[in-house]
Each structure stands twice: as C-alpha cells, then as structure tokens.
DNA sequence: CTGAAAGCGCTAACAG
DNA sequence: CTGTTAGCGCTTTCAG
C-alpha cells in the first residue's frame, strides 16, 4: 500500500530494453554483462530511481540483511551501550538491527525466538535469561542449538554449541572480594544478582571462593539476592542491616544494586567505607557520579558488542566454523566506596 | 539457507488434504470455511508446527509488521526509555522494531530514510536532526512529506504535514529561567543545546523571552552552545567562568550538560546554588544522583513514546486522518542545585 | 464452500 | 553474453 509507484526490476528492464535477468545480473555482479547493456541498465536505474526490493529478494535468497538482538532490558544502563556498538558494526556491513526485550521473562524470550524463526532474520544476538538450574530449560537450549539461525550469546554462555562472549564473572567477583579482604574487612556481605541465571550464579561463586580461599566463614545470613535494580539493592541492604549482624563490607552483583545499597547505608548514618565498604560490578557511568563514588569492576561494553557482532557475522558467512567462546577480563576500579582516597572524578562520557 | 525444513502453506494443504487457498482462508479468517476442513487445517498446522512466512506474505500484501525508529543516539540517557516504551506498545500490536542511529548527522538520517523507503517498513518514528535554519533542508522535508511511509516525529516537529509529539520546549525553559529570576538571580547564563536544531532553538527562545519579560538585559557573552554531552557542558561552563563576568545562575539546555556544568562549578570551588544556581532540562535519573542534585524540568518520556506509537499506528491504519501535533508539558523539579532545601533523594528506578 | 491459477518482485538455472 | 522460465511462499480473484 505504501509504495504504489516504486519502480520494479521489470520497469528497469523495459526502460533499458534488456531482460530482467540482465538487470539482476548487473545489479548483483553475478554475471559479466556487455558494456552497452550494462550502461543502459545503470542509466535506467538512475532515471527510475530504482531500489531493489529486499522483500522479494529475501523470498528467493533467504537473506534479509537483518539481525536481531534479544536483551532483558532496552532502557537499562548496561545494554544500550552494547546495542549501540552492535548497531554501528552492523550498519557498516549493511545490516539492519531489530530489538527485542524480554524483561527477564523466559516465555518472552521463547516467543521472540519463535517469532524470529519464522521471520527469517540472518542472525541473533541473545542475552538469555534461562534458568540454569531448571531442568526444563534443557529442552529450550536444545532447541536453540538445533535452530537454523546463527546465534551468538552475550553475558551468558548457555550452551557450548553456541558462540558466546561473556565476562570473567567468577574471577572478577573473586578479585573484588579479595580486595575487600586485603583491606582488612572480615564480615563481608553479598548482594547477589539473581542466581538462577548464568551470570548471577558465577558471580556468587566468585564471592564464595574468595571467602573460602581466605579462610573466612561462609554464612548464609550474609547473602541476599536482588533483582538487578537500584531499588532492590536498597531493599536488600535494608534487610541486611536489619539482621543486626556485624557487616563491614558488601560485595554487590552489579552497580545498579550497589548504588541502591550505598543510598541505604548513607541513610542509616553509617560511614562508607569506614563502617561499610561497597563494591559493585560493571562500571556504569552513574557509579562515578554518586557520593561516595562506587568502586567496581570494569566491563568493556563496547568491546563486548563489537566482538558479539564479529562472531555473528563469522557464523553467518561460515556456518561450520568451530564454536568460539570469548571471555573478557574486567579490572578493578578503586573509588571512594572502598578507599577514601579513591577516584572521585565523574565519568562525563555519556 | 536457514530454514530448509520449515513447513510451508503447501505442506499444510497436503497434510490437511485441502487447497492452499483454503489454508490461507482459515489462517486469515478471510472466508468462511466448513467446520471439517477448518479443523483439519488447524490440526495440520499444529502437527507441522507451521508458521506463516512473513516475507512471502509481505511480498503480496505490502505489510511487514515492522516499524523503524530513527534517533540521534541509542546509548544516550534519554532515548532508551522512549525506545523501551515504543517497543512494548509495538510488540503488543505485533510489530517488530528496528533501530537506526544518526549521531546527529543529517546525511545518516537521509541514508536511513532512503534505506527504509526500499525496505518497506510499515512506519517510522523519527527524531530528526535537520537544521531548521538551513534552506537546503526544505528539500529534504518535502521529500519526507511526500514519502509513502507513515512518519511520526518526536522531539522536533519539523513539518506540519507530519504527526509529531514534542515537549513545550520554549515554555519550559521560560519557566526554568523565571524560577531563577524569582530566586533573585540577575546574571543568568545559558548553555544551549545546539540551536541549529529545532529543540535547541525553541529552548533558547524560552530563555530569551524570560529575560525580556523580566526586563533583564540579554547579553551575548552569557550565552554559549554545547553539543548535548556532559563533557561539553563542563567545557562551556569553563569558558563562561573564564569570561570573568558576574554569573549567579545558569540555565542549561539539557541535564547531561548541566551535570558537566555542575562538576565544573564545584571544581572552581564555587558554591551551588549560593554562588551559582543551575537548572537543567529532562530529568534523567543521573541528575538526582549527583551532589548537589540537579533541579530540572520533567519530561514524560514514557508518555512520549507511547503517544508516538499511537500516532503512528493510527496513521498506518488510517492514512488520511488529520495530522496531529501533541505537545507535552513539563514540570519544574526543585532540587539542591537551585535550593539548598530542594529534593536530594535518589531516583532509584532505572 | 472450495480450489485452480495468476501473480507480488526477484534470482538462478538453463538454453540459445 | 543474453533472455526465457521456473519458482521462493503466500494472497486473492475467479470459476466451479
């Protein structure tokens, strides 16, 4: 309905007085065409302002030049940066990118996959929210493995049959926790990102390992689980304080929750970091803006997006290449929430 | 290549022992079909796990069930929220959304439009970066008007032939400036969002009008222009201070720049708001996080996205309905950067 | 109520 | 080197 007068390949052929296959051939460089015809076609294309119809093309060639990104949240402080890099890389290569938001609801993720299966996208970048513990997720993952669309996972390597780019979650939280221990902290609480998911699980393991390796006791009452949001971080911290256990530091599964936790601690009139030190994970820009600024583990978001697209492109072009798992390293950033002399400058790049 | 074994309408027809047109008819409810055949078709669909191929469907019907969003930045703190709302509304109605980033480069915007023209998207939501002053943009806008794809503008109403949802930019900055004047501020500087664009232009007009209406002089050396980013806000403030003119308040064209300005003022050891009061525009969540917290004008981002999609959907369904311009009102939020007793609570919803 | 057949715009054998 | 033709999977007249 929208394009009543758009020129078709037929129009071009008529105008140039050649066959439509010749037009197709010059446009796609698929066969050599004599100079005169070639020129006439190009002329016709120009005159008629012809653009090949990707829908029709896709119907034949099964190529849509579209990739799809499935993420938990479009408006979080984390994904937009990844999205942006992916978009830049993708458009360079002529791909359009479609977005899908799951809000951490597995059913929505499945719906997206189903939709995409029929929509003929050329590839999918997936930040999955499958529950790693739940045996019923096996079936879903099998399906993902068997699907005929290239898929690259980010944030969570949910299958060894799928390319993925992830963080060194466990090692990073281990580093963070160890750093707190090196500061002399002994009663270190942990506000976890949802541990039924891949990422939260591995991060928590890092915390536990660090305590163990330092001979510190693991106490259940020091561990609580949030839902990624600042608000939940605030609530978790409140609960932790209400338990009336000695706490001199908190490791938090992500920066968002850590910000909430810091606010809670401030409101309780406790000093950061003297009474309670706080460290997060991600290094989102707001973490540098608050007072005290938040120590955290850096996550190379741009790199993550770029690599994810690279992996995807490679798999599209080369479906049988070996599966790749890229694990990115994070790095400790010391700010005021663990060190009074820590960096208090604002990240102004946003 | 990706879907070798996906069932087609033909397979369903064969399995159900009916014609493909009957299958099509039951699936689209386009004609009444006898109960037995109807049931057999549904059964076949279920057994074969058939999903109709939207590409093929689109080729015939010219409908892609895809809308496209063109915005300056994917990763800014402003657009993701709008994006998110649009995505939610769109998926409810069965639309997929594709994103395009212009980085405020008009040529990129034009490229997107051209691409989309051939891609047969069902509609476009556009945050345009045309230079309102530049006469050459007339031509581009004419093209937009003539295009056969429904377009809804957000942030900038660049044509009265296009639906749009915008803020009351001028009135809002007028309010902000007036508020500062009511506080007794007399030497009020202005850090502008790029004034060659629709939005920046109108906001600046609000500042000028407020000064005029209060009988305050308009002085060029009090006005400077940034590029939306916190970094540029910092730099603009630095320049302003270097001019050695008395400044007791700054109105800033958006929150991001205002954050940079605040940092600069703090670094200069000046007191906020006593020495210099600061007010921004947008009410992004980071503005509540910094110290001092930033006074600003609220922008209903979710509403904006939802309305934009509504307008678009309406135009898709009803191409000849009258053009609508929706102007949203903002509201003053008083925080510490203008009032020592202003709200200092953190926005934890992100 | 049902099905055969003609395309949507394009690509890719296959002949010439 | 060029053109004819057969579809890709689906919708939609148009007969029956």
């Amino acid at each position: 309905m929208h394009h009543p007068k758009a020129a078709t390949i037929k129009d071009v052929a008529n105008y140039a007085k050649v066959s439509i296959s010749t037009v197709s051939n010059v446009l796609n460089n698929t066969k050599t065409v004599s100079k005169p015809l070639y020129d006439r076609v190009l002329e016709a294309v120009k005159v008629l302002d012809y653009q090949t119809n990707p829908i029709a093309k896709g119907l034949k060639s099964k190529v849509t030049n579209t990739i799809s990104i499935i993420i938990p949240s479009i408006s979080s402080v984390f994904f937009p940066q990844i999205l942006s890099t992916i978009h830049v890389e993708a458009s360079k290569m002529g791909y359009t990118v479609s977005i899908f938001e799951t809000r951490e609801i597995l059913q929505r993720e499945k719906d997206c996959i189903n939709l995409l299966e029929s929509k003929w996208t050329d590839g999918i970048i997936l930040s999955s929210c499958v529950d790693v513990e739940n045996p019923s997720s096996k079936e879903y993952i099998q399906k993902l493995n068997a699907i005929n669309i290239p898929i690259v996972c980010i944030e969570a390597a949910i299958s060894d049959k799928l390319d993925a780019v992830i963080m060194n979650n466990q090692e990073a939280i281990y580093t963070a926790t160890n750093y707190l221990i090196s500061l002399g902290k002994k009663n270190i609480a942990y506000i976890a990102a949802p541990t039924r998911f891949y990422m939260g699980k591995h991060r928590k393991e890092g915390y536990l390992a660090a305590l163990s390796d330092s001979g510190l006791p693991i106490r259940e009452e020091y561990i609580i689980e949030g839902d990624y949001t600042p608000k939940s971080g605030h609530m978790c911290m409140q609960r932790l304080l209400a338990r009336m256990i000695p706490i001199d530091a908190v490791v938090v599964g992500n920066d968002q929750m850590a910000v909430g936790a810091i606010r809670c601690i401030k409101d309780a009139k406790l000093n950061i970091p003297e009474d309670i030190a706080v460290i997060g994970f991600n290094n989102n820009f707001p973490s540098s803006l608050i007072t005290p600024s938040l120590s955290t583990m850096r996550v190379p978001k741009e790199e993550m997006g770029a690599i994810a697209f690279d992996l995807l492109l490679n798999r599209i072009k080369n479906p049988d290449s070996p599966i790749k798992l890229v694990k990115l390293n994070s790095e400790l950033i010391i700010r005021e929430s663990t060190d009074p002399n820590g960096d208090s400058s604002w990240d102004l790049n946003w």
Side-chain angles (χ1 to χ4, degrees), chain A residues 3-178:
Chain A
H3 304 257
K5 52 195 172 201
T8 74
I9 197 172
K10 221 171 189 171
D11 300 324
V12 176
N14 285 150
Y15 188 98
K17 308 229 178 287
V18 297
S19 72
I20 60 170
S21 50
T22 297
V23 176
S24 175
N25 283 148
V26 352
L27 259 28
N28 301 312
N29 267 312
T30 152
K31 270 188 190 177
T32 50
V33 174
S34 70
K35 189 81 169 70
L37 293 209
Y38 189 91
D39 289 344
R40 260 152 57 200
V41 169
L42 255 39
E43 172 66 13
V45 165
K46 180 148 284 177
V47 171
L48 301 177
D49 191 27
Y50 169 75
Q51 297 192 253
T52 120
N53 178 334
I55 304 279
K57 191 167 187 165
L59 188 55
K60 275 249 76 161
S61 64
K62 267 68 181 161
V63 168
T64 60
N65 285 309
T66 297
I67 64 167
S68 304
I69 305 188
I70 305 176
I71 49 179
S73 165
I74 292 175
S75 61
S76 92
V77 75
F78 179 74
F79 288 107
Q81 292 185 61
I82 295 192
L83 211 57
S84 181
T85 321
I86 291 175
H87 175 266
V88 168
E89 298 302 318
S91 18
K92 267 187 213 156
M93 304 304 290
Y95 286 93
T96 288
V97 357
S98 295
I99 47 172
F100 298 86
E101 190 178 51
T102 65
R103 302 179 179 247
E104 275 126 28
I105 299 166
L106 184 57
Q107 189 53 53
R108 289 182 58 109
E109 183 178 323
K110 288 180 178 174
D111 290 346
C112 291
I113 295 284
N114 280 334
L115 178 64
L116 256 17
E117 244 188 302
S118 74
K119 261 236 167 178
W120 290 14
T121 190
D122 290 351
I124 299 176
I125 292 177
L126 169 66
S127 176
S128 178
C129 62
V130 285
D131 180 343
V132 286
E133 309 290 64
N134 196 324
S136 79
S137 56
K138 285 266 184 291
E139 194 185 351
Y140 170 61
I141 292 174
Q142 304 250 304
K143 177 187 176 162
L144 250 28
N145 290 337
I147 235 168
N148 277 303
I149 311 172
I151 299 181
V152 169
C153 293
I154 56 175
E155 280 269 281
I158 58 171
S159 161
D160 51 15
K161 301 238 170 52
L162 261 24
D163 296 304
V165 40
I166 55 171
M167 293 306 302
N168 63 342
N169 291 298
Q170 178 169 357
E171 295 87 333
I173 286 285
Y174 186 98
T175 300
T177 310
N178 237 349

Side-chain angles (χ1 to χ4, degrees), chain A residues 304-329:
Chain A
M304 201 158 173
I307 292 176
F309 181 74
D310 268 6
L311 291 179
L312 186 60
L313 192 60
N314 178 59
R315 180 130 327 267
I316 290 172
K317 302 293 182 202
N318 198 349
D320 296 321
S321 58
I323 300 296
K324 272 192 210 140
L325 172 69
V326 179
K327 199 185 225 183
L328 265 23
N329 290 317

Side-chain angles (χ1 to χ4, degrees), chain A residues 108-349:
Chain A
R108 289 182 58 109
E109 183 178 323
K110 288 180 178 174
D111 290 346
C112 291
I113 295 284
N114 280 334
L115 178 64
L116 256 17
E117 244 188 302
S118 74
K119 261 236 167 178
W120 290 14
T121 190
D122 290 351
I124 299 176
I125 292 177
L126 169 66
S127 176
S128 178
C129 62
V130 285
D131 180 343
V132 286
E133 309 290 64
N134 196 324
S136 79
S137 56
K138 285 266 184 291
E139 194 185 351
Y140 170 61
I141 292 174
Q142 304 250 304
K143 177 187 176 162
L144 250 28
N145 290 337
I147 235 168
N148 277 303
I149 311 172
I151 299 181
V152 169
C153 293
I154 56 175
E155 280 269 281
I158 58 171
S159 161
D160 51 15
K161 301 238 170 52
L162 261 24
D163 296 304
V165 40
I166 55 171
M167 293 306 302
N168 63 342
N169 291 298
Q170 178 169 357
E171 295 87 333
I173 286 285
Y174 186 98
T175 300
T177 310
N178 237 349
Y179 162 62
L180 256 22
I181 294 171
S182 78
L183 256 31
K185 301 294 188 178
K186 302 243 176 293
N187 299 302
I188 305 175
Y190 185 66
I191 299 178
T195 51
R196 61 188 183 287
F197 302 139
Y198 179 96
M199 188 200 83
K201 188 183 163 215
H202 287 277
R203 292 193 184 167
K204 181 174 171 186
E205 280 166 2
Y207 162 77
L208 298 176
L211 292 192
S212 288
D213 289 359
S214 297
L216 255 31
I218 289 167
R219 294 161 299 188
E220 273 310 319
E221 69 271 30
Y222 278 78
I223 302 175
I224 190 168
E225 192 169 312
D227 70 359
Y228 300 111
T229 66
K231 198 165 243 171
S232 82
H234 188 278
M235 223 162 61
C236 286
M237 195 64 227
Q238 225 159 12
R239 296 235 187 94
L240 242 20
L241 293 178
R243 287 180 188 168
M244 305 295 278
I245 48 180
I247 296 177
D248 55 17
V250 195
V251 179
V252 189
N254 75 6
D255 274 14
Q256 289 103 296
M257 293 192 292
V259 169
I262 284 187
R263 181 70 205 202
C264 178
I265 297 170
K266 285 178 70 164
D267 289 345
K269 306 292 181 208
L270 294 167
N271 293 318
I272 303 173
E274 295 79 4
D275 297 327
I276 300 184
V278 182
I279 190 162
F281 193 124
N282 262 7
N283 191 33
N284 301 320
F285 73 87
S287 306
S288 75
L289 261 26
I290 60 173
T291 305
S293 57
L294 174 67
S295 294
T296 187
M297 302 301 297
R298 171 176 290 127
V299 169
K301 303 168 197 74
E302 291 75 15
E303 208 181 332
M304 201 158 173
I307 292 176
F309 181 74
D310 268 6
L311 291 179
L312 186 60
L313 192 60
N314 178 59
R315 180 130 327 267
I316 290 172
K317 302 293 182 202
N318 198 349
D320 296 321
S321 58
I323 300 296
K324 272 192 210 140
L325 172 69
V326 179
K327 199 185 225 183
L328 265 23
N329 290 317
S330 59
E331 185 188 323
L332 179 62
I333 297 180
I334 299 180
R335 296 208 182 95
E336 299 167 321
S337 69
T338 58
D339 181 347
N341 299 314
D343 185 8
S344 65
S345 67
W346 289 0
D347 174 0
L348 255 25
N349 290 308

